[in-house]
Amino acid sequence: MKTDSKVDMLTSLTSFRLFKRVLACITRECKSDNGTHLNVALDLIAGRRNSACLICRISAGLTRLILAVGARVFGTTLEMVEEALNDNIFRRSISSVVSGLARFGVTRPFTPGAPFQVVWNVTRACNLKCRHCYENAGQKGPDELSTKEALATIDKLADVGVVFLAFSGGEPTIRPDILTLIRKATERGMYVAVATNAISFSNPEKVRSFKDAGLRFVQISLDGANAETHDDFRGVPGAFNKTISGIKNCVAEGLFVEVSTTVTHHNIAEIHDVIRLCEDLRVRWLMFYNLVPVGRGIELIDTDLTPDEREYLLGVIWDRITNQQESSLEVLTTAPQLGRFAYDANLQCPEQDEVVSPTHFSNARLPTEMRGLAEFIGGCGAGRFYIAIEPNGDIYPCVFFPHIEEMKVGNVLEDDFESIWVHSPLLQRLRNKDLLKEACGSCERRYVCGGCRARAVAYFGDALAPDPGCIHNIRHWDKLVGTCRSELEFLLCVSSHSAQANFVEG
């Protein structure tokens, strides 16, 4: 793909050996001040501290030069960047980007120095029985981390530079010490989120207690525009009304509210209604999720969207993004194919002033001449932009990866988290989109998409296999479905992971 001159400028700069040595130096731990030279330098630039050792002061000057180049690339000013550094989350994000340049260089797509986001399933206990649950949640697990172990884990994550920490489950709001964990993560400077079914949040006082502890973002699952659809999917009558109450309470408390909807044959006819409902509820984001057939989700595999249906969904999302008008609702998706869809759509309108580059975290709006940045910020983020922790501390590239030994990259109690992030062979393979197989590997849009790696594992037992949900991989989908003569055979075929030999190599 063709990149723009500003992106080429940054890439060329970071290729110089001297620049790499500078980055390596400023990201080292300082023996005199508390933190790395880089973090101390950012505090100096932001005016958060007035004194530091000589190396940290020199690092501040070098860091200011790096920020100036970055500001020029992104079409802003150094003064605006320096002012933004007063925000702790922005400062941590810049630190992760610079340390990523030092550790991994300028890669397509980009890998930060530490995961920007960690999704932590803190418990398997749950008050619903969702049909698509990747965690097989219900009862608390016998090996879940204790409060002491969980607090120590939060320290580890904060120390390596994690920016966003999302507590999930199961249902994290019913873990007895969850407020203690939220307070700790907030005190350590991370942006704290909770992924919840919002049943607990139907009580407004409960919402207030979470906000007071430091919660800033809630992701609330809503899998239908009415009680009949949602409650059937969630397995408990009355869930819809409580979830809607929870959404309203979170909005009223001023939390950043995202609604998440897993799209299948079960509810695809309601997606426009879900959008309108979210607008009425005044939520900020609506995230359409892929079905990934793991956990209990394998029982829904026959309701997964076909490649043509997913292409239709991408069209609906793209139309919404580009024709948003007065609504404040942002519609996103975990389907990385939207990156490919958007890039191709942008190419068809070369005269426009702005392009949209979708990611899991935002629909980035960039000047047209910076279209090439899409290759650095887009695509599946599993093991590259985020990572997942299980209730017992096991670490996987994504919450939707099946819990099998070959997909596990470590354990927070037993292994060095920073070393895992930098050196794990599986994570390194996931970050290299040139290693992808079949159409995903040869696709010109592999850096802005690359397919969902969790779906590749779930369907083919191979993290580098094609994502069968993409229109470019439709022959794999047809072969996968056509070979299995019955729903039961289809389930057995996929769950045994025998599909790789039968469909990817065949």
Side-chain angles (χ1 to χ4, degrees):
M1 264 183 247
K2 184 179 179 181
T3 58
D4 60 84
S5 58
K6 291 182 178 180
V7 177
D8 288 340
M9 176 181 68
L10 182 61
T11 304
S12 298
L13 176 63
T14 55
S15 67
F16 288 126
R17 184 176 300 177
L18 177 60
F19 187 79
K20 291 180 179 179
R21 293 180 67 178
V22 169
L23 288 175
C25 177
I26 67 176
T27 53
R28 291 175 186 153
E29 287 291 326
C30 177
K31 295 181 180 179
S32 302
D33 300 305
N34 184 25
T36 63
H37 296 303
L38 171 62
N39 287 335
V40 175
L42 291 173
D43 283 344
L44 287 169
I45 295 171
R48 291 170 52 85
R49 60 187 303 162
N50 299 316
S51 62
C53 72
L54 176 61
I55 296 179
C56 284
R57 294 200 304 273
I58 294 173
S59 297
L62 295 171
T63 301
R64 188 174 275 109
L65 289 175
I66 296 170
L67 294 178
V69 173
R72 183 180 176 189
V73 169
F74 285 94
T76 185
T77 66
L78 177 60
E79 290 73 20
M80 292 181 67
V81 173
E82 290 178 342
E83 182 178 351
L85 286 173
N86 285 294
D87 179 78
N88 174 62
I89 299 303
F90 182 78
R91 195 167 59 254
R92 289 179 73 91
S93 300
I94 291 295
S95 176
S96 188
V97 169
V98 176
S99 60
L101 291 173
R103 282 179 167 163
F104 307 113
V106 178
T107 58
R108 294 185 300 169
F110 179 71
T111 301
F116 255 70
Q117 181 182 48
V118 169
V119 180
W120 184 359
N121 299 322
V122 290
T123 184
R124 285 194 175 88
C126 192
N127 47 12
L128 294 183
K129 301 175 183 177
C130 304
R131 296 171 60 195
H132 66 318
C133 181
Y134 60 76
E135 195 66 25
N136 266 323
Q139 299 297 316
K140 175 185 175 181
D143 54 355
E144 295 180 7
L145 300 190
S146 66
T147 300
K148 181 179 180 180
E149 291 169 330
L151 292 174
T153 296
I154 290 172
D155 279 330
K156 291 180 182 180
L157 301 180
D159 288 343
V160 300
V162 171
V163 181
F164 303 97
L165 178 57
F167 294 107
S168 187
E171 175 50 45
T173 63
I174 62 176
R175 175 165 166 145
D177 61 358
I178 188 63
L179 294 180
T180 300
L181 303 186
I182 291 174
R183 289 191 193 95
K184 175 70 170 182
T186 301
E187 291 168 0
R188 290 304 316 270
M190 290 182 283
Y191 186 97
V192 182
V194 163
T196 174
N197 56 40
I199 301 297
S200 297
F201 286 164
S202 61
N203 179 347
E205 293 183 4
K206 188 88 166 182
V207 177
R208 198 165 298 118
S209 68
F210 274 71
K211 181 181 178 181
D212 291 344
L215 181 66
R216 298 174 64 177
F217 185 109
V218 287
Q219 180 190 82
I220 299 175
S221 300
L222 184 68
D223 288 305
N226 55 69
E228 181 180 1
T229 304
H230 180 81
D231 291 357
D232 178 65
F233 209 68
R234 293 278 155 178
V236 174
F240 179 80
N241 290 334
K242 290 185 177 180
T243 295
I244 295 297
S245 294
I247 292 173
K248 291 179 178 178
N249 291 335
C250 289
V251 169
E253 279 296 327
L255 295 172
F256 193 114
V257 180
E258 173 198 302
V259 163
S260 63
T261 300
T262 300
V263 185
T264 66
H265 294 160
H266 179 82
N267 59 5
I268 191 171
E270 297 180 21
I271 56 175
H272 289 286
D273 294 331
V274 170
I275 291 173
R276 284 190 289 269
L277 176 59
C278 288
E279 285 182 321
D280 292 342
L281 292 170
R282 296 183 293 117
V283 306
R284 297 281 295 277
W285 285 359
L286 169 59
M287 181 75 73
F288 286 119
Y289 269 76
N290 281 322
L291 172 70
V292 182
V294 293
R296 284 201 295 270
I298 198 169
E299 299 173 6
L300 292 180
I301 201 167
D302 61 311
T303 73
D304 194 6
L305 301 184
T306 68
D308 288 322
E309 290 169 330
R310 183 163 285 102
E311 203 72 4
Y312 161 76
L313 176 63
L314 297 179
V316 171
I317 296 170
W318 182 247
D319 182 66
R320 171 68 197 198
I321 292 171
T322 54
N323 297 283
Q324 190 165 323
Q325 299 177 347
E326 300 301 318
S327 175
S328 60
L329 176 69
E330 189 82 86
V331 179
L332 307 100
T333 179
T334 61
Q337 288 84 10
L338 184 61
R340 180 261 302 163
F341 194 103
Y343 201 97
D344 290 342
N346 288 327
L347 286 178
Q348 294 174 14
C349 303
E351 302 304 319
Q352 61 189 359
D353 296 329
E354 181 183 78
V355 296
V356 180
S357 180
T359 73
H360 292 351
F361 303 96
S362 69
N363 294 317
R365 288 167 169 81
L366 306 170
T368 300
E369 66 270 18
M370 294 172 61
R371 180 188 293 115
L373 280 175
E375 293 188 338
F376 298 89
I377 64 176
C380 177
R384 176 186 66 85
F385 211 74
Y386 52 80
I387 209 164
I389 301 177
E390 281 297 292
N392 66 349
D394 285 345
I395 304 171
Y396 291 88
C398 170
V399 292
F400 293 106
F401 268 49
H403 300 157
I404 53 179
E405 193 63 28
E406 55 265 38
M407 296 300 156
K408 173 183 166 182
V409 296
N411 183 282
V412 291
L413 300 181
E414 302 167 0
D415 303 299
D416 181 80
F417 189 87
E418 185 173 17
S419 179
I420 291 171
W421 182 252
V422 177
H423 301 296
S424 165
L426 177 57
L427 299 188
Q428 290 176 352
R429 291 196 299 274
L430 288 169
R431 295 164 186 168
N432 188 347
K433 303 307 178 183
D434 293 329
L435 296 179
L436 299 178
K437 299 176 181 179
E438 299 286 334
C440 282
S442 59
C443 182
E444 291 184 354
R445 305 294 180 253
R446 62 188 177 277
Y447 304 125
V448 297
C449 173
C452 173
R453 296 299 95 212
R455 285 173 53 83
V457 176
Y459 276 104
F460 299 129
D462 182 353
L464 302 179
D467 176 352
C470 180
I471 197 73
H472 292 172
N473 292 321
I474 195 166
R475 72 180 186 89
H476 290 298
W477 177 266
D478 290 343
K479 191 180 282 188
L480 189 66
V481 176
T483 299
C484 304
R485 297 193 181 101
S486 68
E487 178 182 336
L488 177 60
E489 189 177 352
F490 187 45
L491 294 174
L492 292 174
C493 178
V494 175
S495 64
S496 68
H497 291 232
S498 62
Q500 180 185 358
N502 292 337
F503 303 112
V504 177
E505 298 175 0

